[in-house]
Amino acid sequence: MSLPLRITVDNKDYTYTILTKGIGKDTSEIKIEIEGEELTLARSVTGEWDVMERAINDDQQLLTAITRNIVLRYRLK
């Protein structure tokens, strides 16, 4: 398990943890944990990353920011 990562969205701090080990260019799914909830980020056939478990009450801006942060961190695009 990796160390917790922090992100700020709309002046509110969030902490998330990347659960997937060995992330590289060939990775198609990444599991993360945020606020006690486990989510899966998946790459579509077009190469875009998105959260698989979506709910109406999810903060889309937060999920987009986390996805973007991970993609940039691991140079997945």
Side-chain angles (χ1 to χ4, degrees):
M1 181 150 32
S2 68
L3 294 173
L5 301 168
R6 291 182 57 198
I7 192 165
T8 303
V9 177
D10 287 335
N11 294 324
K12 186 174 177 192
D13 290 330
Y14 298 92
T15 303
Y16 66 96
T17 304
I18 300 173
L19 302 175
T20 303
K21 295 190 185 298
I23 297 173
K25 297 268 186 206
D26 297 330
T27 304
S28 61
E29 283 190 355
I30 300 171
K31 292 204 178 285
I32 65 169
E33 181 181 354
I34 182 164
E35 297 180 343
E37 183 179 354
E38 192 171 310
L39 299 174
T40 304
L41 305 176
R43 186 188 315 220
S44 68
V45 292
T46 61
E48 298 295 318
W49 288 88
D50 201 12
V51 177
M52 291 179 67
E53 301 90 356
R54 287 215 183 245
I56 294 173
N57 59 352
D58 284 345
D59 184 356
Q60 297 296 14
Q61 187 175 6
L62 172 63
L63 296 176
T64 301
I66 290 173
T67 302
R68 184 171 183 268
N69 191 354
I70 292 172
V71 167
L72 291 173
R73 173 181 291 271
Y74 291 100
R75 297 181 180 147
L76 298 175
K77 222 168 194 177

